[in-house]
Amino acid sequence: MFGPLRRAVLGDQEIAGMVTALEVTGLSKSFGDARALENADLVLRQGEIHAIVGENGAGKSTLVKCLAGMVVPDAGDVRVRGAPLSFGNSRASREAGISTSFQELSLLSNLTVGENLLIAELPTRLGIVGRRRVARRAQEVLDEWEVPDLDPDMLVEDLPLSAKQRLETLRAMYVRPSLLILDEPTAALPDTDWLFAKIRELVHAGTTVLYISHKLGEIRELCDRGTVLRNGEVVGSFDDSNFDANSLISMMIGRSIELVFPARRHELPPAAPTVLQTRGMTVGTKLRGVDLDIREGEIVGVAALEGQGQRALFYGLAGAGPMTGGTVTIDGRPYRAKTPRAALNSGRGIALVPEERKIEGLFADLSTVQNITSTALGRVTSFGLVRGAAEVQLAAGAGADAQLPAEFLAREVGQLSGGNQQKTVLARTALSGARVLLMFDPTRGIDPSAKLEVYNMLRRASAEGIALVFYSTEIPELVGLSDRVVVLYNGRIAAELTGEAIREDHILAAAVGHGGEIADGPEQAK
């Protein structure tokens, strides 16, 4: 049940008599007609890492919010080390020793790294926050936890998403809680080494960890035991001695699923016309002199480690970031959009699935229906008025194609889980009518069955002649889906791979600056 590391730390006898750190009994919660949790039971032992897995909308986020004091359940009981937990009170949860890192980041963008890090205990004098004291204390925390790339005085809004994710997680960890809740903590991280090392240090000191992730490889590597949720109910459990990814997925979705990448149904014609072409494309110091050709119906994968120019490429093409040099053409005609709307309305139309869906991709206070149809209002309006029934019908069709449950359409999109928010963005993108799609890590935070549907969506779009540029932090996705993979390093194309040369080792070699060492395959590194 417990892996070698935990046995080395605690010993077999201590494991047998382990203290119960968290006990959840009969927890239930509904939002209107939507049932989020139904009579859920859960027991965590002190010093273990316990996984929670399930599809988007299975109840994971609601469980987290109940434990964090943000949501009051309709029924049920929670005890932390034997003491009852007061619901709907974040302070009470913190005082009970619960600390939470949320999937949808809870950072305040207009405050500094230091202020966000110490938000629960800002040092004050006579009621006034001392900025120098904040910076000094925050720097001590950053040094202790080995985070050299964050500056206490930096504004959070200026950080890349990966740095925001690390800050969110650090804020939950540095207080050394008795129960640490991590909800999709690696969704935007380029690697897990730092995080896993720190989790193990905390567990060694007695912290219990509730770990939520769609990445089953992480679950297998890190967790001792786990619980499976489906439709708000506990439907199974597992431990590190009987872990099986396919069985877990079957429990999560209620049916068997074969996790394979869908094959291309029709071969890409060798003479497929070039739709989008860049020559010497430059975006500040992030992207420098990139030449790229995207053909009709082609899926071009983009691979890169964090901060190598991939965001500048995608956002520059989408009109969301200023190009500072070079040229771009669509169907041979000059193109330079200054806004995403202009990009969508130009030529064949370019649409972006952005990196930060919550900030860049959604209208949080509008309904899911309104978010889906926001790029296609002309199809559901008459004399300037939206036809409500037509709008709902249009959104329902697009939502179904993206595997978004129909019961979520009427809810505000800000109330949905992160994965269902991403499905909303994908449904809207599909309705936009764009013939060039820029997909920036579109499967981030999505469960395995939904990932498979995204893969199928990409294949269908490709078969319809849509040109796709696809960035992913998961290299197997690029290998399994791409007709061609472009690897960026230091703002330039380090390698361009096709056919049998599209391999994980080749991609990684180019991503770390060794593209010239790729020696086999039909096309060499450029």
Side-chain angles (χ1 to χ4, degrees):
M1 183 185 305
F2 287 82
L5 174 65
R6 209 72 68 252
R7 292 189 185 279
V9 172
L10 298 172
D12 288 341
Q13 291 184 347
E14 286 184 289
I15 289 174
M18 189 167 288
V19 173
T20 296
L22 175 72
E23 184 174 10
V24 176
T25 307
L27 206 64
S28 298
K29 179 63 181 178
S30 295
F31 297 94
D33 295 332
R35 181 184 62 181
L37 284 174
E38 181 67 28
N39 201 33
D41 295 338
L42 179 67
V43 175
L44 271 64
R45 298 164 183 160
Q46 182 179 341
E48 75 167 319
I49 306 175
H50 192 106
I52 298 288
V53 298
E55 286 189 283
N56 297 123
K60 305 184 301 296
S61 294
T62 301
L63 172 63
V64 168
K65 290 174 181 177
C66 288
L67 297 176
M70 300 174 62
V71 167
V72 178
D74 301 326
D77 177 70
V78 173
R79 292 181 173 271
V80 180
R81 295 182 65 85
L85 179 68
S86 297
F87 295 126
N89 187 328
S90 298
R91 180 184 293 274
S93 292
R94 289 195 301 271
E95 291 176 350
I98 298 175
S99 189
T100 305
S101 170
F102 295 95
Q103 177 187 7
E104 296 303 315
L105 305 182
S106 60
L107 304 174
L108 300 174
S109 296
N110 61 332
L111 297 184
T112 66
V113 166
E115 290 163 341
N116 272 277
L117 182 60
L118 307 177
I119 192 71
E121 52 169 336
L122 286 174
T124 61
R125 179 172 296 172
L126 301 177
I128 299 174
V129 175
R131 294 188 179 276
R132 290 184 180 178
R133 296 174 64 197
V134 168
R136 187 165 55 249
R137 172 60 183 139
Q139 188 61 61
E140 291 173 356
V141 173
L142 294 171
D143 291 342
E144 179 186 358
W145 288 80
E146 299 176 293
V147 187
D149 58 323
L150 289 181
D151 185 320
D153 294 322
M154 294 176 67
L155 285 176
V156 163
E157 64 186 2
D158 295 331
L159 299 178
L161 181 58
S162 60
K164 293 178 184 177
Q165 179 94 68
R166 194 160 54 254
L167 177 59
E168 173 86 12
T169 307
L170 177 59
R171 185 169 66 179
M173 293 193 301
Y174 91 90
V175 296
R176 302 185 183 278
S178 60
L179 175 62
L180 174 65
I181 302 175
L182 299 175
D183 190 358
E184 296 287 354
T186 66
L189 294 184
D191 63 69
T192 63
D193 293 347
W194 172 83
L195 177 62
F196 283 12
K198 297 306 175 187
I199 289 174
R200 288 171 175 136
E201 288 177 13
L202 286 171
V203 169
H204 185 92
T207 293
T208 301
V209 179
L210 186 64
Y211 191 88
I212 299 172
S213 178
H214 289 308
K215 299 179 180 179
L216 298 185
E218 294 180 0
I219 300 295
R220 169 176 244 160
E221 177 182 351
L222 187 67
C223 298
D224 303 301
R225 297 191 303 139
T227 297
V228 183
L229 288 177
R230 184 173 74 238
N231 296 328
E233 299 182 26
V234 173
V235 295
S237 62
F238 59 93
D239 61 44
D240 61 359
S241 67
N242 65 0
F243 183 97
D244 180 78
N246 289 330
S247 296
L248 281 185
I249 293 168
S250 296
M251 277 195 285
M252 288 163 59
I253 66 177
R255 65 184 188 279
S256 62
I257 185 172
E258 188 177 4
L259 275 182
V260 295
F261 294 100
R264 176 180 283 281
R265 296 179 183 177
H266 306 285
E267 288 301 314
L268 183 68
T274 296
V275 174
L276 185 148
Q277 182 182 80
T278 74
R279 288 294 179 265
M281 182 178 175
T282 300
V283 180
T285 60
K286 301 294 185 181
L287 196 73
R288 299 179 291 170
V290 166
D291 295 346
L292 191 61
D293 294 84
I294 312 295
R295 295 188 293 164
E296 187 176 89
E298 186 179 25
I299 300 177
V300 176
V302 175
L305 299 180
E306 178 67 26
Q308 300 303 309
Q310 62 269 44
R311 181 181 169 93
L313 172 65
F314 277 69
Y315 282 61
L317 291 174
M323 281 180 52
T324 54
T327 61
V328 180
T329 59
I330 297 181
D331 293 327
R333 300 189 182 111
Y335 161 84
R336 181 168 290 196
K338 294 183 178 181
T339 66
R341 180 183 293 276
L344 184 59
N345 293 332
S346 63
R348 297 183 182 228
I350 297 179
L352 169 71
V353 172
E355 181 180 24
E356 293 193 69
R357 56 178 170 259
K358 186 175 180 181
I359 297 174
E360 302 170 326
L362 296 167
F363 303 102
D365 55 348
L366 297 183
S367 71
T368 304
V369 165
Q370 291 169 313
N371 271 273
I372 291 175
T373 61
S374 61
T375 58
L377 287 176
R379 297 164 60 177
V380 293
T381 57
S382 297
F383 306 105
L385 298 176
V386 175
R387 303 192 309 275
E391 183 182 33
V392 170
Q393 184 177 10
L394 183 65
D401 288 342
Q403 297 292 294
L404 180 67
E407 61 265 27
F408 293 150
L409 293 176
R411 292 175 60 179
E412 285 188 3
V413 77
Q415 297 176 354
L416 303 187
S417 68
N420 284 320
Q421 289 179 347
Q422 185 74 333
K423 293 177 188 179
T424 300
V425 173
L426 293 169
R428 182 182 64 208
T429 303
L431 278 184
S432 69
R435 306 297 293 174
V436 179
L437 298 183
L438 309 173
M439 314 286 280
F440 199 98
D441 214 5
T443 63
R444 182 175 68 87
I446 288 183
D447 61 70
S449 64
K451 282 186 177 183
L452 184 58
E453 184 52 38
V454 171
Y455 304 153
N456 285 319
M457 288 173 63
L458 294 177
R459 283 288 185 227
R460 289 195 298 268
S462 171
E464 294 170 3
I466 293 175
L468 296 117
V469 189
F470 172 53
Y471 167 72
S472 177
T473 53
E474 299 188 33
I475 292 178
E477 290 187 340
L478 298 173
V479 173
L481 289 167
S482 303
D483 300 305
R484 184 158 45 103
V485 173
V486 172
V487 186
L488 294 179
Y489 177 74
N490 200 23
R492 302 182 186 275
I493 294 179
E496 188 171 321
L497 309 173
T498 61
E500 295 179 0
I502 301 178
R503 294 177 7 191
E504 290 191 46
D505 56 339
H506 287 177
I507 292 173
L508 281 171
V512 297
H514 295 283
E517 297 178 8
I518 299 171
D520 57 285
E523 184 167 331
Q524 307 304 314
K526 291 186 176 179

